[in-house]
Amino acid sequence: MTGSYSGEPLHTVLRSATREVVLGHDQRFCLIGERINPTGRRIFQDQLRAGDMSAIERDVHAQVEGGADVLDVNMGVPLTDEPDLLARAITMVQELTDLPICIDSSVVEALEAGLSAYRGRALVNSVTAEDDRLAAILPLVKKHDAAIIALPNDHDEIPMEADKRLDLTAKIIRVATEEYGIARADIVIDPLAMPIGADTTTSLVTFETMRRIRDEHGVNMTCGASNTSFGMPDRHTLGAAWLPMAMTAGLTSAIMDTRTPQIVEAVKAADVFLDHDEWGMSWIAAHRAKATATA
Ligand code: THG
């Protein structure tokens, strides 16, 4: 399959009240911090249920320190009022940092509450390819002038063939642009990253999906990078290898572990070799800042 997208690189512009972040195939990789998410964190869930949001403050600082460009905020705690909790978390994160936010929920009312609490241009995470999900979420994205992460799966099953993911990606882009008036630049496709421990071919399918989405549609992409090493030993080394591989396949951002220097530095190094960091200026500046801090 040869590529057909031949336009200028598409830029997805995200904003907080005071700061702008741009995703693009000609831009430095966008690191979205995954940590403000109670999934699999029992203690955090209990704290949130009890109204204690103090862990969020630590998670914000650790990720900002680590080099995050955007923070993902997910408040999916069973048996809570998720719209209320997510709106309060977003308000709190905006008081702690000026990084733009990725609003992460599968509940439409929670996305709506989160968007209402947000000041800026958010990244909404996420919508799938089913008509009813697109009809529920895309008007919200349009109304709030946000960008959207879209997953090429439907009916709760994740297609294991790249062809199927490409078909659903084409559908999402067609519906979002033609029926809801959303700009192609504001559609960020998640090519679906799965645990390598469950199926040894899963990353090959994801990389093929990335290359074809880049070549055929030119849109920006993101994915949950930590999913790939789930259940494996030494997740940091796997993450530090997987992300640069994904970047060469066209991934332009990831929801990822931004607290681990090994992983963040691998991404920054790949930006240098992909000529996304002109003359390595950011790489060199970061090195100098580190040397100054230790002196
Ligand atoms: N695509 C999109 N959004 C997503 C995902 C995706 N949002 C959620 C998730 N997947 C990405 N976020 C995370 C957050 C944490 C972890 C993985 C993905 C993680 N947590 C530890 C673990 O599972 O071992 C548990 C927490 C802890 O104890 O530290 O790895 O794919 N669009």
Side-chain angles (χ1 to χ4, degrees), residues 34-35 37 39-41 72 74 104 125-126 149 151 190 193 222-224 226-227 230 235 255 259:
E34 71 186 5
R35 186 68 184 169
N37 187 334
T39 310
R41 293 172 66 186
D72 186 271
N74 179 308
D104 188 351
N125 185 12
S126 55
I149 297 173
L151 284 66
D190 182 335
T222 198
C223 67
S226 296
N227 300 348
F230 188 78
R235 294 182 71 178
I255 303 157
R259 301 181 309 166

Side-chain angles (χ1 to χ4, degrees), residues 256-277:
M256 56 178 280
D257 175 4
T258 58
R259 301 181 309 166
T260 303
Q262 184 184 0
I263 296 174
V264 173
E265 284 165 11
V267 168
K268 302 287 183 193
D271 272 334
V272 176
F273 293 119
L274 290 169
D275 195 23
H276 292 163
D277 177 2

